[in-house]
Amino acid sequence: MNTKQELINDIEKLLNGYGGDTHINPNMLAFMDEQTLKSIIASLLDQKEKAVESNLEWLEQFKKY
């Protein structure tokens, strides 16, 4: 498997980490270069981190009681 396909697979795995079954049409992402795909991955990881932080803040409010 080439690096570009591995990046596309990583994007798909990150999207599926939120629940659901996401399949990306490889033809849709085929025109993107590796740097763009890496940027998408970074953005998804950032969004995931912010969601976790937000959930932790929400959960912390219950510790007070």
Side-chain angles (χ1 to χ4, degrees), residues 16-34:
N16 288 332
Y18 293 108
D21 191 25
T22 303
H23 296 285
I24 298 172
N25 181 343
N27 295 327
M28 189 173 136
L29 297 178
F31 71 92
M32 294 182 184
D33 62 9
E34 287 184 20

Side-chain angles (χ1 to χ4, degrees), residues 41-53:
I41 290 171
S43 176
L44 289 170
L45 289 171
D46 186 50
Q47 289 175 29
K48 192 170 191 173
E49 182 178 332
K50 287 179 182 175
V52 168
E53 289 174 2

Side-chain angles (χ1 to χ4, degrees), residues 1-63:
M1 186 178 317
N2 64 33
T3 303
K4 194 170 186 178
Q5 186 58 47
E6 289 173 0
L7 292 170
I8 291 170
N9 290 344
D10 287 345
I11 290 170
E12 194 172 73
K13 286 177 188 173
L14 283 168
L15 290 172
N16 288 332
Y18 293 108
D21 191 25
T22 303
H23 296 285
I24 298 172
N25 181 343
N27 295 327
M28 189 173 136
L29 297 178
F31 71 92
M32 294 182 184
D33 62 9
E34 287 184 20
Q35 186 58 40
T36 301
L37 295 171
K38 288 177 183 177
S39 176
I40 291 170
I41 290 171
S43 176
L44 289 170
L45 289 171
D46 186 50
Q47 289 175 29
K48 192 170 191 173
E49 182 178 332
K50 287 179 182 175
V52 168
E53 289 174 2
S54 176
N55 288 338
L56 287 175
E57 290 173 10
W58 180 79
L59 288 170
E60 284 293 322
Q61 72 182 341
F62 296 105
K63 283 180 128 178

